[in-house]
Amino acid sequence: MNDESREPFKRLFFALDCAPAQRKAIAQWRGALQLRSGRPVPVENFHLTLKFLGAVAVGQIADICTAVASVRTPDARLTVALDRLDVWRRAGVLVLAPEQAPPALLRLVYDLEQALLPFGLEDAPREFRPHLTLARDYRAPVPESTSSPEFFLRADRFTLFESHKGRYRALADWPLGAA
């Protein structure tokens, strides 16, 4: 076994965090769905993933943060409408997603992906599909709702999170717009 394979790592992802009041509103709406399938995502973990990195060597994190600091960000904070409830059958998740992703969000993700290319963190690129996961291991049709989802995730920064034992911890963040 070489030294590199023993280097400690962290499971990382970039995301737009969800404000506490927004989390509460989404959780209440999800509760009204009376889900009979899946495992609800803990309310404190609600976020919109920009880029999943997976297992990253601890020694690479500072370099990743430096590279991401040069990413061109939108001129204003981002607002993403989460106005569609959907089931992604292959992934087994129930999600809130935008009917239409804002162009500024798509540009941010593209620029983030470009900044991370030199690190070789991904075997095969995945298509970016913005969403907020409501439940995992979901194996039922899209649930009926008495009210349509009409949530607006407003972000003035994007964050690098560590996922550890089901909890997410912010490691660093970068402002969006003229902050």
Side-chain angles (χ1 to χ4, degrees), residues 29-41 85-96 132-145:
W29 184 84
R30 178 182 65 182
L33 295 175
Q34 299 181 340
L35 301 178
R36 290 172 171 52
S37 176
R39 291 179 298 117
V41 169
L85 183 61
D86 201 3
V87 173
W88 293 356
R89 299 209 186 290
R90 274 182 52 182
V93 292
L94 178 67
V95 300
L96 278 175
L132 183 147
T133 304
L134 295 172
R136 299 189 185 289
D137 301 324
Y138 191 84
R139 304 285 178 223
V142 175
E144 294 291 322
S145 173

Side-chain angles (χ1 to χ4, degrees), residues 33-101:
L33 295 175
Q34 299 181 340
L35 301 178
R36 290 172 171 52
S37 176
R39 291 179 298 117
V41 169
V43 176
E44 63 273 11
N45 286 355
F46 284 170
H47 68 276
L48 190 146
T49 301
L50 300 172
K51 179 78 177 152
F52 180 73
L53 304 180
V56 175
V58 170
Q60 280 191 302
I61 296 173
D63 292 337
I64 287 171
C65 289
T66 299
V68 168
S70 67
V71 167
R72 186 178 63 231
T73 59
D75 293 335
R77 74 180 186 175
L78 276 172
T79 299
V80 181
L82 298 172
D83 53 1
R84 190 178 88 232
L85 183 61
D86 201 3
V87 173
W88 293 356
R89 299 209 186 290
R90 274 182 52 182
V93 292
L94 178 67
V95 300
L96 278 175
E99 197 64 52
Q100 178 105 27

